Amino acid sequence: MSIGFISVPLVVFMIVVAPLWLILHYRSKRKSGEGLSGEDHQKLETLVARAEVMQERIVTLERILDAEAPQWRQK
């Protein structure tokens, strides 16, 4: 009688749960391996361009501060 209590859930697990688990697992692995989508790649390029512009502005501001207040970095 105790074997029935163990074997029924095991059979249900092997027939229903395990295949679904494997299918979902490998589908998520495949999606994560595809990389960035076109839209994500475009967003990344936009962010890189904004960061470059911001870096140029920071360098310019630092030059202005160095000329007008040479001790600003120590404050």
Side-chain angles (χ1 to χ4, degrees):
M1 191 155 163
S2 66
I3 293 188
F5 287 123
I6 295 172
S7 64
V8 171
L10 184 61
V11 169
V12 170
F13 178 82
M14 295 301 289
I15 291 175
V16 177
V17 177
L20 286 174
W21 189 354
L22 289 172
I23 290 168
L24 294 174
H25 171 73
Y26 284 110
R27 185 171 21 161
S28 70
K29 286 287 189 183
R30 185 179 61 223
K31 283 188 177 184
S32 68
E34 289 176 358
L36 296 176
S37 68
E39 181 181 340
D40 290 339
H41 187 69
Q42 182 63 32
K43 286 180 182 178
L44 183 60
E45 291 294 326
T46 302
L47 288 173
V48 168
R50 285 182 176 180
E52 289 172 351
V53 170
M54 190 179 296
Q55 180 63 34
E56 291 173 11
R57 292 179 71 182
I58 290 170
V59 169
T60 303
L61 287 171
E62 287 178 343
R63 272 194 242 131
I64 292 169
L65 283 170
D66 285 338
E68 292 185 7
Q71 302 297 323
W72 72 272
R73 292 182 193 260
Q74 284 76 26
K75 291 184 179 180

